[in-house]
Structure formats: C-alpha cells, structure tokens
Amino acid sequence: MTEGLKILIVEDEIILAEDLKARLNRMGYNIIGIADSFNSAMTTLYHHRTDLILVDISLRGKKTGIDLAHKVNQEFQLPFIFLTSHADKYTVQQANKANPYAYLLKPFNDKQIDIAIELAITNFAQRTDQFKSKTSDSSEGKRERVIKNGLFLKNRNHYQRVRLDAI
C-alpha cells in the first residue's frame, strides 16, 4: 500500500497556507493539517503521524517557528523546511541553529517546493539513522528512503510512502 508523504503546514498567513496546501495536494502529498502557532502545531504533531513539516519562522503567539523546530528535533526527529520572507543575516543565523533540512524563501513556486522537499528528505536521510538511503541506478533514477516502518519512493514529482508490512 502506498500513500503520499504526510505533511503538516505551520503558517500563520491562512491564504498562503491554503495555497501551499493546494499546490502540495496537486503534487500528490497528503496535508494532515494547517497550524498557525507553536501550540496548534504541537497538538497536531501529537495526534497525527507526520512525515515532514513546512514551518514559517514567524508564527502567531510568543513562540516562533524556530522554537517549534527545536522542539521537533527534541521530541519527534522529523525533517522540516523553514518558510520565510525574511532573508536577513540575523534570521538566517537563528534559523540555522535549529538545523533545518531545507529553506524556502517566499514567494516560491512549485519547482522550488519540489526541490526543497527532495533536499529535506535527502538531508534527513544523511543526518539520522532513522533513514537508510538507497539510490537506484535505473534509467528512471528513482530514489527510495527506508525508515523503521516504511519506505519512501520517489514517483515522478513526489514521494510515496509504502508500509513495510504491506510488502
């Protein structure tokens, strides 16, 4: 059984979040939710299996996306991509301390989103032992990422999850 990557969008600008959701759905990904704050993101993470998080650096409330990224690293060990319209040196330095797996500067297009997801999955594979990366030498250049209970296969323009117990 295959299923698209499960993505949480953490963005306080609802129009941008809905646009991103529509783009990702068209690409074949499953959006498990949209959160606009640290607390709502944490609630979603505790209640839903998540494969990847797209998180804006600026969020509603006192805690930032950077705070969320540190918490994700501590509790969930999930790949995340920072979204931001801020490219100033200070913001980038603060974001880098959270060790993001990719970075998307607003405004972005579908190709940039696709590249960021590919980069995040690849970086996560290299940084953790949860994933064991394998690259096929086939003419299609398909890539697969193995995790404890599943496998992520690159299929055209998106990753699909295959549960190991379904194989």
Side-chain angles (χ1 to χ4, degrees), residues 57-112:
I57 290 176
S58 300
L59 300 174
R60 292 187 196 275
K62 293 181 182 180
K63 293 194 176 187
T64 67
I66 296 170
D67 296 322
L68 178 63
H70 286 296
K71 190 72 166 174
V72 165
N73 285 336
Q74 290 171 354
E75 286 195 33
F76 300 99
Q77 297 81 44
L78 293 170
F80 59 89
I81 299 170
F82 276 135
L83 310 172
T84 189
S85 55
H86 305 287
D88 61 277
K89 189 174 182 174
Y90 177 77
T91 301
V92 172
Q93 287 174 340
Q94 294 306 305
N96 282 339
K97 290 178 183 178
N99 296 312
Y101 294 88
Y103 202 92
L104 260 174
L105 191 60
K106 298 175 191 175
F108 41 77
N109 60 39
D110 289 357
K111 186 66 175 169
Q112 291 166 321

Side-chain angles (χ1 to χ4, degrees), residues 25-26 48-49 52 63 80 84 88 95 99 114 120 126 155:
N25 281 330
R26 280 193 306 272
H48 298 280
R49 185 181 63 77
L52 176 71
K63 293 194 176 187
F80 59 89
T84 189
D88 61 277
N99 296 312
D114 186 47
Q126 292 173 352
N155 183 8

Side-chain angles (χ1 to χ4, degrees), residues 132-136 142-146 151:
K132 293 179 183 174
S133 180
K134 296 179 183 178
T135 303
S136 169
K142 290 186 179 178
R143 293 186 181 159
E144 58 186 40
R145 306 287 185 239
V146 180
L151 183 61

